[in-house]
Amino acid sequence: MDTEGVWYYKGVEMTRRDIVNYFYQNLKQDQTGRYLIELENERCYLDVEDTPFVVKAVLRSVSKSNEEEAIYLLLSDDTLERLDPHTLWIGNDNVLYCTIKNHRLNARFLRAGYYQLASGIEYDAQKDAYFISLNGHRYYISGKCSVS
């Protein structure tokens, strides 16, 4: 799996979304941090260049009932997930990441998703830090962390 979230089998891109999404549904991480697909009695380890999931798009939404704003992420498995802004961080080469799937896995923002989110990122000169404002709170984006 490359950094853009494209899956390959023997060097050929896997284009069947139903199969790729089935693999995503059975994707796990072992105790050493390696990714694998586990199906009944079969296990297949994956070569993942960065993170198994990528953020393809970012959508902002405001609830009609309580006016609460939320940020949703369209992930590479075609699911939509609410962003926990506490989990944002900048990695090597200024790549933006977050934690998804109940804080179990990391996701890398693709360029489109990054720019959609970046339009709402502000700079705090006093703290020399970037943050996102959401529902009256500032969520600071932490510095470099290693991806596993």
Side-chain angles (χ1 to χ4, degrees):
M1 192 179 318
D2 70 12
T3 58
E4 301 291 312
V6 177
W7 290 61
Y8 295 90
Y9 178 71
K10 294 185 177 181
V12 178
E13 181 179 345
M14 296 177 65
T15 57
R16 294 262 321 259
R17 291 303 310 165
D18 57 332
I19 293 173
V20 170
N21 286 345
Y22 182 69
F23 288 161
Y24 269 123
Q25 291 169 4
N26 293 285
L27 180 71
K28 298 184 180 197
Q29 195 171 22
D30 70 11
Q31 293 109 350
T32 65
R34 291 183 61 201
Y35 297 102
L36 64 127
I37 298 170
E38 198 168 63
L39 300 170
E40 297 182 20
N41 295 328
E42 294 185 43
R43 297 177 119 202
C44 178
Y45 281 90
L46 306 174
D47 290 326
V48 178
E49 283 188 307
D50 195 2
T51 60
F53 286 88
V54 294
V55 176
K56 299 189 317 187
V58 173
L59 312 159
R60 285 184 176 254
S61 173
V62 177
S63 169
K64 290 180 181 175
S65 61
N66 61 7
E67 301 285 322
E68 185 175 290
E69 186 178 18
I71 299 172
Y72 290 92
L73 309 172
L74 178 60
L75 301 173
S76 49
D77 65 347
D78 298 328
T79 60
L80 200 60
E81 182 168 318
R82 188 174 180 157
L83 170 68
D84 177 352
H86 289 105
T87 69
L88 288 169
W89 83 91
I90 300 292
N92 291 331
D93 298 322
N94 294 317
V95 174
L96 186 62
Y97 296 92
C98 67
T99 303
I100 58 168
K101 307 292 180 190
N102 295 319
H103 302 275
R104 290 184 303 109
L105 296 167
N106 297 322
R108 172 191 177 104
F109 282 75
L110 293 182
R111 190 174 306 266
Y114 170 80
Y115 283 117
Q116 290 166 336
L117 187 66
S119 65
I121 295 176
E122 300 173 61
Y123 180 69
D124 182 335
Q126 288 183 329
K127 292 187 175 188
D128 188 26
Y130 291 92
F131 65 93
I132 292 179
S133 293
L134 194 63
N135 300 313
H137 296 5
R138 285 184 174 190
Y139 297 93
Y140 286 91
I141 302 171
S142 63
K144 298 183 189 293
C145 295
S146 64
V147 176
S148 60

